Amino acid sequence: MKVHNFSAGPSILPEEVMQQAAKAVLNLNETGLSILEISHRSPEFLAILAEAKSLVLELLDLPQNEYKVLFLQGGASMEFLRIPMNLMQKGGKAAYLNTGTWADNAVKEAKAFGEVIEVASSKDMHYSYIPKAYTIPDDADYFHCTSNNTIYGTQMRSFPETAIPFVCDMSSDIFSRKLDFSQFDLIYAGAQKNIGPAGTTLIVIRERILGNPKNGLPNIMNYQMHIERESMYNTPAVFAIYTSMLTLRWIKKAGGIAAMEARNNKKAALLYEEIDHNPLFEGTAAKEDRSLMNVTFRLKDANHTEAFDTLCKTYHISGLKGHRTVGGYRASLYNALPVESVQMLIEVMQQFQRSHS
Ligand SMILES: *Cc1c(COP(=O)(O)O)cnc(C)c1O
């Protein structure tokens, strides 16, 4: 049975990656050992980690001598803490753009370490748009934003210019579209949306922004320690990193980020077109800020919910429920989601319209 998986995270992975990962669970590269039982210091895993790091920089088109790649644990939420702990100076301040629940959580965590300037926020409008006019104070220690708001379905189309270190949470749209990634000094992303299974977070840092090591920083929170120990300060998430590496290979083989972007544009255009033309549905995000990754929409008449949900189930459409804090629907169109799944969802929406209007 083919299930159309629109889950926001953990989410769909390429079929090919899943098969390779399944095989490696039984026997990794004919070693007679499972990926679940090999040492993280074995030559096999060291090669996997090295390939994953090098694919990240190659796909993002970032220079090896400037950027370091880490695969750590604790989720993107742990980076909400590590970032201020490493980048905020004593008695310092940081600038944040508040565009959603995750951005808001990042703000809250940073407040424990210094002053936080919210340069702009769309909280008053249920985060339905991306604020555009704001000033980033040039005496802040860094600027933080969220490129794609997974819960609200908005995405930054352009990024501000700033002379201070630029930090971006790309958990739900990394590797989905071409950007000049060198405008960022620290990019991070929980793997479970567009890279791999839950359990590891990708962090890409321009090393020179770290400066001198901070006194009293616990090792596990210290980016410099993780760079020095090459993501092996403690046991890394071996299986999650392996599977992420397989996805990175898959992206490269498919034509890199440009190929992902072309397909993602097509999927999003098809679905937004249906949302805008089907009289029973409406989008929830400002049109100019609509996300290509997480498409949020709702039924105009909430009384239709049960019937639509039932129809979705009949056609094996899974993971369409909106985030528990906002309701409605959210179709996550990550890299691995085939166009056919979007076409199936559109057919179901059209069939629903024919039977309900
Ligand atoms: C899911 C998500 C997070 C939180 O990720 P965890 O790995 O669960 O901590 C943070 N930021 C964004 C943009 C997300 O989509």
Side-chain angles (χ1 to χ4, degrees):
M1 182 184 73
K2 169 92 184 118
V3 172
H4 301 281
N5 183 6
F6 290 93
S7 172
S11 42
I12 187 166
L13 290 173
E15 176 73 35
E16 183 184 315
V17 166
M18 219 88 82
Q19 274 169 8
Q20 290 165 348
K23 210 170 136 213
V25 165
L26 298 175
N27 186 354
L28 173 71
N29 302 338
E30 307 307 319
T31 53
L33 292 169
S34 165
I35 184 71
L36 303 181
E37 63 179 353
I38 58 161
S39 164
H40 60 295
R41 302 198 184 277
S42 63
E44 288 80 14
F45 183 70
L46 292 181
I48 289 163
L49 183 60
E51 183 175 350
K53 287 179 180 177
S54 115
L55 281 168
V56 166
L57 294 181
E58 184 185 338
L59 291 169
L60 299 178
D61 196 18
L62 291 172
Q64 301 250 7
N65 57 352
E66 272 185 59
Y67 285 88
K68 294 290 180 230
V69 178
L70 299 173
F71 286 96
L72 304 182
Q73 296 181 57
S77 301
M78 181 72 98
E79 303 320 305
F80 296 166
L81 285 171
R82 280 200 188 104
I83 288 158
M85 288 177 95
N86 284 268
L87 300 184
M88 240 195 232
Q89 302 306 316
K90 210 172 162 54
K93 65 178 175 189
Y96 279 69
L97 178 62
N98 190 347
T99 53
T101 302
W102 298 117
D104 199 48
N105 284 355
V107 167
K108 285 182 189 141
E109 299 287 53
K111 279 182 176 163
F113 303 95
E115 189 188 344
V116 173
I117 317 259
E118 250 184 53
V119 296
S121 169
S122 47
K123 199 173 191 169
D124 57 335
M125 295 279 285
H126 304 290
Y127 294 121
S128 57
Y129 71 100
I130 306 277
K132 315 264 177 344
Y134 50 86
T135 312
I136 301 170
D138 51 21
D139 62 342
D141 296 320
Y142 64 90
F143 170 66
H144 178 285
C145 69
T146 312
S147 54
N148 183 71
N149 298 286
T150 326
I151 295 175
Y152 300 91
T154 61
Q155 188 172 30
M156 292 177 80
R157 288 275 111 70
S158 63
F159 294 87
E161 276 189 30
T162 172
I164 62 177
F166 193 160
V167 178
C168 189
D169 177 357
M170 293 195 191
S171 290
S172 50
D173 70 350
I174 192 158
F175 303 122
S176 72
R177 57 172 170 165
K178 281 204 84 106
L179 289 175
D180 172 10
F181 292 97
S182 72
Q183 68 191 299
F184 307 103
D185 298 290
L186 194 159
I187 295 167
Y188 65 106
Q192 71 275 18
K193 274 115 188 192
N194 215 10
I195 313 177
T200 192
T201 313
L202 167 65
I203 299 140
V204 185
I205 310 180
R206 181 176 262 138
E207 196 173 7
R208 71 170 142 79
I209 67 162
L210 293 173
N212 297 324
K214 306 248 172 332
N215 284 336
L217 196 56
N219 284 340
I220 197 93
M221 302 308 283
N222 185 343
Y223 285 133
Q224 267 149 332
M225 177 60 78
H226 289 294
I227 289 172
E228 193 183 306
R229 302 287 179 89
E230 305 198 327
S231 300
M232 303 267 239
Y233 169 73
N234 63 328
T235 315
V238 171
F239 180 70
I241 295 171
Y242 174 68
T243 310
S244 299
M245 185 279 283
L246 294 176
T247 308
L248 296 168
R249 270 189 194 164
W250 174 83
I251 296 174
K252 184 179 170 182
K253 205 174 86 182
I257 296 182
M260 296 295 121
E261 181 174 32
R263 219 156 55 112
N264 291 333
N265 280 335
K266 182 176 172 196
K267 289 183 288 183
L270 285 171
L271 185 52
Y272 282 121
E273 161 94 8
E274 178 61 24
I275 290 168
D276 290 340
H277 288 95
N278 189 317
L280 299 187
F281 295 92
E282 61 190 357
T284 57
K287 278 193 180 169
E288 73 275 15
D289 300 323
R290 282 173 161 180
S291 168
L292 303 181
M293 290 278 98
N294 309 99
V295 175
T296 52
F297 60 103
R298 62 181 164 229
L299 281 159
K300 286 185 187 157
D301 180 354
N303 292 322
H304 286 152
T305 304
E306 212 185 307
F308 182 65
D309 291 355
T310 305
L311 194 62
C312 285
K313 222 171 158 181
T314 311
Y315 286 90
H316 310 306
I317 285 173
S318 167
L320 204 62
K321 210 169 153 53
H323 191 266
R324 61 197 148 71
T325 55
V326 299
Y329 297 101
R330 169 176 52 174
S332 297
L333 315 182
Y334 298 126
N335 287 345
L337 185 87
V339 181
E340 295 73 48
S341 288
V342 175
Q343 283 160 340
M344 177 54 79
L345 174 57
I346 291 170
E347 268 175 46
V348 169
M349 290 166 79
Q350 289 174 350
Q351 184 179 327
F352 193 69
Q353 184 205 338
R354 284 193 296 274
S355 55
H356 282 80
S357 46

